[in-house]
Amino acid sequence: MRRGKYLLFLYNDKNILLFHLGMTGFFRIEKKYQFRKHDHLIFNFINKKLIFNDIRKFGFVKILNEREISECSHLKNLGPEPLSSKFCYNYFKKNLNRKTNIKNLLMNQSFVAGLGNIYCSEILFRSKVKPTRQLRLIKENEISKILDSVKKILFDSIKLGGTTIKNFVVSDEKIGYFKNKLMVYGRKGMNCFKCKNKIDKITQSGRSTFFCSRCQK
Ligand SMILES: [Zn+2]
């Protein structure tokens, strides 16, 4: 199962393997194991091998029992899943009293679990909300627009990721959804697809944000 950016493998003997794929971690499935650089773990199944590979080693794996997992700091403070019913209008509204901007809120894993940096730029472009906007200035109809965009972009991403990546569970967001579908991310200085204005790039909490200053207010 998955929770936020974590993968959990549940075993019958009540042990749980907790994976974080980091920036570059991924799994591949092979009938016969073929060595690749940066392979760290191999799971043997009857007809197949499941291999964990991570070039930059920002990922990790931990073995925990049921009690440890419920107290584990990685999972304990995670907010609701973005596609769950808990992530709704009332929940969103209640959290608008924080003193930050909308991009940082969406990136905050205790607010909503697992929304990546690329997704957040795309969600806010689709919602027509500038990433730097303070939360107290978010209007009620914009909450609905943002919620709608989160769902639309995640569903599109799941659909496209599923058709382009065979046998792979990839954590690198760039490979799955995007390339052709990105409206703003990675498009600094290029023309906005909607209004032809040049796309801006800024840094927020150390992460790149892309937006159109004409489409997003
Ligand atoms: Zn625009």
Side-chain angles (χ1 to χ4, degrees):
M1 65 186 263
R2 183 195 58 78
R3 184 80 178 92
K5 294 178 178 178
Y6 299 92
L7 285 176
L8 286 78
F9 292 6
L10 312 176
Y11 282 87
N12 290 336
D13 62 4
K14 314 227 165 167
N15 279 319
I16 296 152
L17 282 184
L18 175 72
F19 277 92
H20 190 290
L21 300 184
M23 304 279 278
T24 54
F26 69 94
F27 289 98
R28 69 178 194 275
I29 297 168
E30 287 177 356
K31 275 203 159 160
K32 216 174 143 201
Y33 175 62
Q34 287 176 315
F35 172 79
R36 280 200 219 172
K37 231 177 162 181
H38 312 295
D39 283 346
H40 297 300
L41 265 180
I42 303 167
F43 297 89
N44 288 302
F45 294 92
I46 294 168
N47 294 318
K48 288 186 174 72
K49 318 268 183 211
L50 176 68
I51 303 134
F52 178 59
N53 180 294
D54 189 4
I55 295 170
R56 286 164 71 182
K57 291 191 192 155
F58 289 145
F60 65 75
V61 54
K62 287 183 179 181
I63 304 173
L64 303 166
N65 64 34
E66 280 179 328
R67 190 175 45 80
E68 288 166 332
I69 201 99
S70 65
E71 288 160 12
C72 146
S73 62
H74 301 293
L75 302 179
K76 214 168 151 184
N77 301 318
L78 277 185
E81 291 291 323
L83 296 178
S84 72
S85 58
K86 276 189 195 160
F87 188 60
C88 64
Y89 182 88
N90 288 334
Y91 172 78
F92 208 111
K93 203 176 168 189
K94 258 188 237 157
N95 280 277
L96 291 183
N97 56 8
R98 303 184 189 200
K99 281 206 177 81
T100 184
N101 60 56
I102 185 65
K103 163 84 184 316
N104 284 344
L105 182 73
L106 293 177
M107 290 290 288
N108 186 332
Q109 301 294 304
S110 73
F111 171 64
V112 58
L115 280 188
N117 191 45
I118 298 175
Y119 290 98
C120 289
S121 282
E122 296 297 312
I123 287 162
L124 290 173
F125 176 76
R126 193 179 181 276
S127 313
K128 302 190 169 117
V129 175
K130 207 178 234 174
T132 51
R133 181 107 64 85
Q134 289 300 303
L135 296 183
R136 65 190 160 81
L137 301 175
I138 299 284
K139 299 180 199 104
E140 296 195 338
N141 69 323
E142 288 173 330
I143 298 176
S144 308
K145 254 192 227 165
I146 293 169
L147 282 169
D148 184 63
S149 299
V150 166
K151 288 179 192 190
K152 167 83 175 116
I153 281 171
L154 289 184
F155 276 127
D156 278 1
S157 146
I158 292 165
K159 210 161 66 189
L160 290 171
T163 56
T164 53
I165 307 159
K166 294 187 179 93
N167 294 342
F168 278 76
V169 181
V170 179
S171 78
D172 188 343
E173 299 159 308
K174 286 170 214 166
I175 298 172
Y177 175 40
F178 298 115
K179 296 275 187 232
N180 307 323
K181 271 276 196 164
L182 288 174
M183 299 296 281
V184 285
Y185 193 90
R187 301 195 65 249
K188 183 190 173 190
M190 294 185 214
N191 293 342
C192 172
F193 290 126
K194 292 238 163 94
C195 76
K196 303 274 192 281
N197 183 38
K198 296 249 182 290
I199 299 294
D200 284 320
K201 180 190 176 188
I202 54 169
T203 303
Q204 291 178 291
S205 302
R207 307 296 303 272
S208 303
T209 305
F210 295 83
F211 66 100
C212 171
S213 59
R214 196 180 290 165
C215 291
Q216 293 168 263
K217 297 292 172 198

